[in-house]
Amino acid sequence: EVQLLESGGDLVQPGGSLRLSCVASGFTFSSYAMSWVRQAPGKGLEWVSTISGSGGSTYYAVSVQGRFILSRDNSKNTLSVQMNSLRVEDTAVYYCAKVGLVGVTRDAFDFWGQGTMVTVSS
Amino acid sequence: DIQMTQSPSTLSASVGDRVTITCRASQSISSWLAWYRQKPGKAPEFLISKASSLESGVPSRFSGSGSGTEFTLTISSLQPDDFATYYCQQYNNYPLTFGGGTKVEIK
């Protein structure tokens, strides 16, 4: 059974930093690209970032480019995102999501974690 | 960026109704489109990929169609579990983009 468990969400001041993690199980983690998708309170879904299975390729939304850094540790089945220079508009539930097809970086997200809340406020 | 536009934004329906949601892309995305269902307070659930391929385990009352720029999600007989918000998403190219969502409410 595929499981994705996010952690690290917290209340942080504008300009601050936070690191989110997602621990995966139930599939060969290194074979699949992984992504973060966020949802601001009462709003729709917004893709944030994707990393290839090897970790060699990363893709970012313009809204987080230069502030967020995506990484993965395939030995620990863990996906992470380092979020710097946080803004009020980064407030959202952050979901970890698995890309459906092996070996590609673009596909539907077939499994999602339960989400972790990030609140940026003074 | 490819803009995804869903309609309607809200839909009122009854159990047993046939429901259709439309998703339009601002440029052709071939069939690289997914649909998700999100219940309140929960993570999205994957329903359909490649515009019309039903995910394993998803009830057959769900179906998807379309290609290019126009797509539809149809629920043939709405069930209580289906009152939720539905999102389309294109994965033709980056940045990946979602539609604004369609909330299916109880009439």
Side-chain angles (χ1 to χ4, degrees), chain A residues 24-120:
Chain A
S25 61
F27 63 102
T28 305
F29 183 69
S30 60
S31 295
Y32 293 87
M34 297 292 295
S35 295
W36 289 96
V37 176
R38 68 185 181 184
Q39 187 169 36
K43 302 297 185 183
L45 301 169
E46 179 190 15
W47 169 77
V48 173
S49 183
T50 295
I51 187 168
S52 62
S54 67
S57 298
T58 51
Y59 308 85
Y60 297 94
V62 168
S63 57
V64 306
Q65 180 84 47
R67 299 187 299 122
F68 289 14
I69 302 171
L70 194 56
S71 62
R72 62 190 297 160
D73 183 340
N74 287 342
S75 69
K76 296 181 179 179
N77 286 4
T78 300
L79 172 73
S80 299
V81 59
Q82 177 66 40
M83 303 188 297
N84 301 320
S85 302
L86 282 162
R87 304 168 180 168
V88 171
E89 55 265 35
D90 294 319
T91 295
V93 174
Y94 284 73
Y95 294 103
C96 164
K98 172 184 169 290
V99 170
L101 280 181
V102 65
V104 303
T105 55
R106 284 183 285 111
D107 194 38
F109 300 124
D110 60 351
F111 288 95
W112 299 63
Q114 86 289 346
T116 189
M117 183 70 204
V118 173
T119 303
V120 185

